[in-house]
Amino acid sequence: MYLPNSGFEIGRTLRYKNSGKVEACIVATKKWRPGDEIRHCSGYIAELTEQDENYLANRDFSVMYSTRKGCMCLFLGPARFVNHDCQPNCKFIPMGHNAICFKVVRDIEVGQEITTFYGGDYFGEGNKECLCATCEKFVAVSFSFSSFLSLCFCFGFDSFCFINFELLSEFIPCALF
């Protein structure tokens, strides 16, 4: 699974310390630029029967729902260690019917985690339970869209609030709206 010239390696992350287990991530070992394809970081899906799904329940496997296949699937390969971020540096791209790899959408420096967007409701409705680095930046200071609105109500809806809302809506992840 590891190729020295692949441009990535599997690393450890402490981001999910409350999970009670060691978590993995994919870290860049070379610079990646928008448009690059990280083809060695691939993933494959295997359809699961209901019996398979029950057997794997509460075990540490990457089980996901495939909208394309309309069933639960087991996600295999190094791509399963690419974590979610609401402002990712990569996106999924298909490689045939049962496989994916990644296309870079933002610069990735050596040592930076490679991330992708899992979906708008993957971590609860509107991703409100998301623990990604982007959401952490805003939640850590107890900032949310509702607290922003509360401040505007307290201090009055002036042009400052509306200008900042327009600016912030481009940068605050969808999970906070």
Side-chain angles (χ1 to χ4, degrees):
M1 179 158 46
Y2 177 73
L3 296 172
N5 63 347
S6 67
F8 71 92
E9 65 186 9
I10 298 173
R12 294 175 57 158
T13 181
L14 300 176
R15 169 155 310 287
Y16 313 104
K17 16 183 177 196
N18 293 337
S19 74
K21 56 187 174 186
V22 175
E23 298 288 346
C25 65
I26 299 291
V27 178
T29 58
K30 73 172 212 168
K31 288 184 178 184
W32 293 95
R33 298 295 171 241
D36 290 347
E37 292 183 2
I38 308 176
R39 299 197 63 78
H40 291 295
C41 190
S42 56
Y44 303 87
I45 57 173
E47 293 181 29
L48 296 175
T49 65
E50 190 173 326
Q51 184 180 1
D52 295 334
E53 191 179 335
N54 291 336
Y55 177 77
L56 294 173
N58 300 318
R59 289 186 167 83
D60 192 16
F61 287 96
S62 297
V63 176
M64 59 179 230
Y65 183 80
S66 170
T67 54
R68 187 170 45 151
K69 293 190 172 285
C71 66
M72 295 302 286
C73 294
L74 181 61
F75 193 37
L76 305 165
R80 73 188 184 119
F81 299 117
V82 174
N83 290 317
H84 165 87
D85 197 284
C86 286
Q87 291 181 342
N89 50 32
C90 290
K91 68 178 183 177
F92 292 112
I93 57 172
M95 288 180 18
H97 188 65
N98 293 320
I100 60 98
C101 67
F102 298 93
K103 182 173 247 179
V104 177
V105 296
R106 290 188 305 117
D107 287 340
I108 304 171
E109 300 299 324
V110 174
Q112 186 178 353
E113 183 176 0
I114 295 172
T115 60
T116 195
F117 184 73
Y118 288 2
D121 294 316
Y122 192 86
F123 297 101
E125 185 179 330
N127 279 346
K128 289 181 180 165
E129 298 169 34
C130 183
L131 301 173
C132 76
T134 298
C135 288
E136 181 183 48
K137 287 177 192 173
F138 295 103
V139 175
V141 295
S142 300
F143 185 85
S144 69
F145 181 64
S146 59
S147 63
F148 173 75
L149 284 180
S150 295
L151 287 173
C152 286
F153 278 118
C154 288
F155 296 104
F157 279 100
D158 59 11
S159 59
F160 176 76
C161 286
F162 286 110
I163 290 169
N164 280 314
F165 171 73
E166 289 173 13
L167 291 172
L168 291 171
S169 67
E170 292 181 29
F171 299 104
I172 295 177
C174 56
L176 299 179
F177 288 98

